Amino acid sequence: MAQNRVKPVPVIFDSDMGPDYDDVGAITILHTLADKGEAKILATMASTNYEGVAGVLNVFNTYFNKPWIPVGVPKGTALNLRDWQHWTDTLLAKYPHKIKTNTEAADAVKLYRKILASQPDHSVTIITVGFLTNLSNLLNTGADEYSSLTGKELVKKKVKQLVCMAGRFPSGSEFNVMKDAPSSKNVYENWDTPVIFSGFEIGVKIKAGLPLIHNSTIQNSPVKDAFRISIPMAAEDSLGRCSWDETAVLVAIRGYNLFYDLHKGKIVVAADGSNTWDDKGIGQAYLVEKADYKTVQDLINELIMHQPVSKIINKRSIGQVRKNQSTGSRIAKIEALNRKIDKIEANIRRRETEISRVEAQ
């Protein structure tokens, strides 16, 4: 009997990748679900512009065998907040990444316009787990070489939904909304597609990272390194880091039904970035717990321990080769296996390009 294949969700991922390290968990879950065929990553965007943020995104894309994923950074005014634990410095020093400076990355707004213009109508899910800087700038754009539509028109035509780790509900102040309040206010007042919020109260209970850092089978992982470095540096993280950003990715790809209900209405952002909720508003909703949060916690901890497919293959194959072959033969076998992996990955990239071309027609 033929099985119904789930069509991968086309995603643009927008992160502040640095002030906190739940962004690491979020991009890891995104790549995990992409490896499972549930997501297709169109681009990874930084909503901050501290030097090195483009390289950090490229580190994760490279680690998960997708170094070709475009990276965008704000080229104008943006926050330059970065991690105080310096895990980003470790990752940039330790792991391969082709993008060395932010100047080598694309302008985030131009990249948004280029990608959205090439996608089928009402198809793209945008996930924000940082500031709304890029999306505000996108809404303010006019026609360009990629589309005759304004930013607001392009969003309405091409975006299916916006899923944000943002806000505190039903009211309060939350970092992602507050730090660039004018952008947050512009986006949430003028965005013309459905918006789902995973608020502060959703992720604060969910602790992630301890199973990962205690898993001795995972080695040379930027994901593990970020959590390994950061967790011991804050007493409040002794049980793991709060999973604010991870929940947004999970809901954006797999939907909210298993774990959450939606409270519909519309966010109201004040000039200082604090938020309230208008139950009479339309087009937006925030998550409300339905399942035990520990169920989501277990799932997140499992997903962030995912390793790149080729890395798993290499580990298993090298172990088997060592049992049976001399040193020279081992090396030859490993090199042959890596060539096969390279061919498989090249075929995957070629197939993804063909699918994108067909979908854009």
Side-chain angles (χ1 to χ4, degrees):
M1 182 182 294
Q3 294 183 341
N4 293 327
R5 290 190 63 189
V6 176
K7 187 176 181 180
V9 177
V11 169
I12 298 175
F13 177 74
D14 198 317
S15 164
D16 56 347
M17 191 58 72
D20 205 339
Y21 58 101
D22 56 335
D23 298 81
V24 174
I27 197 171
T28 301
I29 290 177
L30 181 60
H31 275 286
T32 300
L33 298 182
D35 283 351
K36 292 177 180 292
E38 298 177 44
K40 178 182 178 182
I41 308 172
L42 302 177
T44 50
M45 308 285 194
S47 60
T48 51
N49 64 0
Y50 69 83
E51 187 52 60
V53 67
V56 175
L57 288 170
N58 192 221
V59 163
F60 288 108
N61 293 341
T62 302
Y63 175 72
F64 285 105
N65 300 313
K66 295 179 176 63
W68 61 86
I69 292 176
V71 173
V73 297
K75 296 297 184 176
T77 301
L79 294 163
N80 63 358
L81 301 174
R82 67 182 307 161
D83 59 303
W84 58 270
Q85 307 97 332
H86 296 289
W87 55 263
T88 57
D89 295 336
T90 298
L91 268 52
L92 290 170
K94 184 175 179 181
Y95 294 98
H97 55 288
K98 185 176 181 180
I99 298 175
K100 304 301 183 183
T101 66
N102 289 353
T103 57
E104 298 172 40
D107 181 306
V109 173
K110 286 185 176 294
L111 185 56
Y112 262 113
R113 289 190 59 88
K114 179 181 179 180
I115 291 174
L116 289 177
S118 69
Q119 296 302 305
D121 292 354
H122 312 298
S123 66
V124 178
T125 291
I126 297 176
I127 303 172
T128 67
V129 295
F131 313 122
L132 282 297
T133 308
N134 292 327
L135 296 189
S136 179
N137 291 338
L138 172 62
L139 288 178
N140 294 340
T141 58
D144 62 3
E145 65 269 34
Y146 303 116
S147 174
S148 61
L149 302 177
T150 66
K152 188 173 181 181
E153 292 167 340
L154 190 60
V155 164
K156 186 174 183 179
K157 183 177 177 64
K158 299 294 184 176
V159 176
K160 179 181 180 180
Q161 65 174 349
L162 170 62
V163 181
C164 304
M165 189 286 115
R168 189 189 292 243
F169 302 101
S171 63
S173 294
E174 186 277 321
F175 188 77
N176 288 346
V177 176
M178 180 181 63
K179 294 303 290 184
D180 186 358
S183 291
S184 301
K185 189 173 177 64
N186 183 35
V187 170
Y188 296 134
E189 289 179 357
N190 294 289
W191 196 266
D192 284 334
T193 79
V195 180
I196 295 177
F197 295 94
S198 180
F200 176 90
E201 66 282 355
I202 293 296
V204 70
K205 299 179 182 179
I206 302 169
K207 307 297 184 180
L210 291 188
L212 168 66
I213 66 174
H214 292 135
N215 188 332
S216 61
T217 67
I218 299 175
Q219 299 294 328
N220 298 315
S221 162
V223 183
K224 183 175 182 177
D225 279 351
F227 280 85
R228 175 187 59 79
I229 291 167
S230 302
I231 283 178
M233 297 180 75
E236 64 266 28
D237 292 351
S238 61
L239 298 178
R241 186 58 182 156
C242 301
S243 298
W244 291 294
D245 295 350
E246 293 94 334
T247 58
V249 174
L250 191 61
V251 166
I253 306 303
R254 290 191 169 174
Y256 65 87
N257 291 304
L258 284 177
F259 308 115
Y260 303 104
D261 289 321
L262 293 181
H263 186 110
K264 297 182 179 180
K266 191 168 185 177
I267 195 171
V268 179
V269 179
D272 64 357
S274 61
N275 72 270
T276 54
W277 189 257
D278 178 8
D279 283 331
K280 296 180 180 178
I282 58 173
Q284 301 179 3
Y286 64 82
L287 299 178
V288 178
E289 279 186 358
K290 180 169 66 175
D292 186 341
Y293 74 90
K294 291 181 180 178
T295 304
V296 183
Q297 178 172 283
D298 290 343
L299 177 58
I300 287 173
N301 274 305
E302 175 188 342
L303 292 173
I304 66 173
M305 288 192 287
H306 171 76
Q307 295 181 82
V309 174
S310 61
K311 189 170 184 179
I312 296 170
I313 292 172
N314 274 332
K315 278 186 176 180
R316 292 174 179 170
S317 300
I318 291 170
Q320 188 62 38
V321 167
R322 281 176 175 163
K323 290 179 182 178
N324 302 308
Q325 305 293 332
S326 66
T327 302
S329 182
R330 289 179 203 162
I331 294 171
K333 289 268 189 178
I334 292 168
E335 289 176 346
L337 178 62
N338 283 331
R339 285 194 295 271
K340 288 182 180 179
I341 291 169
D342 288 341
K343 287 181 180 179
I344 291 169
E345 292 174 348
N347 286 333
I348 291 172
R349 291 195 295 271
R350 184 164 56 251
R351 184 60 180 154
E352 287 180 339
T353 300
E354 291 171 356
I355 291 170
S356 296
R357 190 178 298 118
V358 170
E359 289 178 342
Q361 291 177 351

